[in-house]
């Protein structure tokens, strides 16, 4: 049974795939996926292991190029961009949160958070100030000079959220962001992630195997064998206003 998600015709999609396929050798990871994501929409991607979730996330975010089809972001065909403009687009318009944070161990929290800004040309002092500001907003002001090795898992993921949001991205991509956390810390992380994304007016595309994580999003895409199996709306468990009250 295929359920169809219909975006209101009045809101043009911010991010879209049109019939994308992606193979790794004999393995067809994506077999023709067309999805449209609106500005500010929060989308959870679920499905069995090996079904193509991460490949879809990587194609949507311009990390991987599809073999066929197109990825369109804000009117630009991302999949047709050369490496450098594509990488600049990723750094300036997208934010990323991964399972294990992927913070740089040698850098302090504020240096980690400032990094995406410095990579797009923001002077160091200005980037550091923006990092401090973002860390403060996430309740991490006192951890500014701490290195990832001296943080708890939850603190490291909050730092990763600060790093993902510091460039004011249009879309935040997260692949199993709470996968390495216990349930309570994962819950708190999702609360902070969805509230921060909502406050920034960004869209969220999140891969998870946990329905309780997916429930933080307004839409659920289920992927099976490289195809969209179901696409439906969810009633998010909390609104940003409730969390930020
Ligand atoms: P999921 O995230 O749903 O677990 P993936 O998108 O990571 O699935 O992978 C989909 C399929 O593509 C799997 O069969 C996987 O083994 C294969 N695959 C993904 N990335 C690569 C790669 N870089 N090289 C070879 N095979 C890959
Ligand atoms: Mg995966």
């Amino acid at each position: 049974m295929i359920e169809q998600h219909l975006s209101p015709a009045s809101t043009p999609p911010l991010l879209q795939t049109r019939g994308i396929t992606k193979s790794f050798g004999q393995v067809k990871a994506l077999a023709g996926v067309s999805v449209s994501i609106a500005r500010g929409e929060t989308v959870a991607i679920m499905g069995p292991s090996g079904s193509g979730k991460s490949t879809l996330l990587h194609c949507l975010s311009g990390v991987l190029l599809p073999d066929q089809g197109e990825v369109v972001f804000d009117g630009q065909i991302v999949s047709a961009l050369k490496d450098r403009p594509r990488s600049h687009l990723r750094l300036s318009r997208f934010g990323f949160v991964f399972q294990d944070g992927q913070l740089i161990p040698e850098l302090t929290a504020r240096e980690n958070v400032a990094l995406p800004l410095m990579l797009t040309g923001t002077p160091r002092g200005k980037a550091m100030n923006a990092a401090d500001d973002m860390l403060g907003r996430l309740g991490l002001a006192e951890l500014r000079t701490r290195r990832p090795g001296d943080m708890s898992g939850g603190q490291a993921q909050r730092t990763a959220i600060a790093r993902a949001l510091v460039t004011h991205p249009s879309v935040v991509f997260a692949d199993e962001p709470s996968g390495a956390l216990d349930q309570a810390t994962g819950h708190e992380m999702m609360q902070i992630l969805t509230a921060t994304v909502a406050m920034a007016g960004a869209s969220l595309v999140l891969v998870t195997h946990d329905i309780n994580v997916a429930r933080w999003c307004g839409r659920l895409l289920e992927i099976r064998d490289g195809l969209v199996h179901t696409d439906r709306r969810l009633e998010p468990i909390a609104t940003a206003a409730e969390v930020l009250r």
Side-chain angles (χ1 to χ4, degrees):
M1 185 187 60
I2 308 276
E3 293 176 51
Q4 201 56 49
H5 172 95
L6 299 171
S7 286
S10 53
T11 47
L14 177 66
L15 181 60
Q16 196 176 26
T17 69
R18 296 176 183 156
I20 58 169
T21 68
K22 182 73 183 177
S23 293
F24 299 101
Q26 299 300 304
V27 177
K28 196 151 204 171
L30 295 179
V33 172
S34 300
V35 293
S36 292
I37 297 166
R39 202 174 290 274
E41 192 169 34
T42 54
V43 184
I45 301 175
M46 294 189 77
S49 177
S51 57
K53 303 182 295 295
S54 295
T55 305
L56 176 57
L57 192 88
H58 292 146
C59 286
L60 279 166
S61 57
V63 171
L64 278 177
L65 292 175
D67 298 331
Q68 293 168 298
E70 289 175 342
V71 179
V72 185
F73 169 73
D74 211 3
Q76 259 189 316
I77 302 177
V78 178
S79 43
L81 292 175
K82 298 228 184 308
D83 283 357
R84 275 179 74 99
R86 198 154 42 84
S87 136
H88 185 266
L89 176 82
R90 272 203 310 274
L91 277 167
S92 57
R93 305 294 305 275
F94 299 159
F96 295 87
V97 182
F98 302 97
Q99 170 160 355
D100 49 6
Q102 297 193 355
L103 299 170
I104 296 173
E106 292 81 8
L107 301 183
T108 62
R110 65 201 297 249
E111 288 167 338
N112 265 289
V113 174
L115 198 59
L117 287 173
M118 294 200 280
L119 288 174
T120 47
T122 305
R124 186 184 168 88
K126 206 175 161 198
M128 288 298 195
N129 287 339
D132 285 349
D133 184 54
M134 189 54 76
L135 285 165
R137 276 200 259 166
L138 293 178
L140 295 168
E142 71 284 9
L143 297 186
R144 285 203 309 274
T145 56
R146 212 177 276 187
R147 289 189 169 74
D150 300 320
M151 296 178 192
S152 71
Q155 289 168 340
Q157 279 307 65
R158 264 194 283 164
T159 304
I161 293 172
R163 184 185 55 182
L165 269 299
V166 76
T167 56
H168 301 291
S170 299
V171 188
V172 174
F173 295 95
D175 200 343
E176 301 280 6
S178 59
L181 304 176
D182 64 62
Q183 205 179 356
T185 313
H187 185 86
E188 186 194 52
M189 199 230 89
M190 282 309 299
Q191 202 167 33
I192 293 167
L193 176 62
T194 49
T196 319
V197 161
M199 217 168 32
S203 306
L204 175 66
V205 183
L206 170 136
V207 167
T208 181
H209 63 270
D210 184 348
I211 186 65
N212 292 315
V213 171
R215 278 191 215 286
W216 286 94
C217 295
R219 180 179 170 195
L220 175 62
L221 276 183
E222 194 192 347
I223 305 296
R224 286 203 198 163
D225 299 327
L227 290 167
V228 176
H229 182 72
T230 60
D231 183 352
R232 64 187 173 93
R233 289 187 186 286
L234 294 175
E235 205 56 61
I237 51 184
T239 66
E242 287 172 60
V243 174
L244 296 172
R245 195 179 44 207

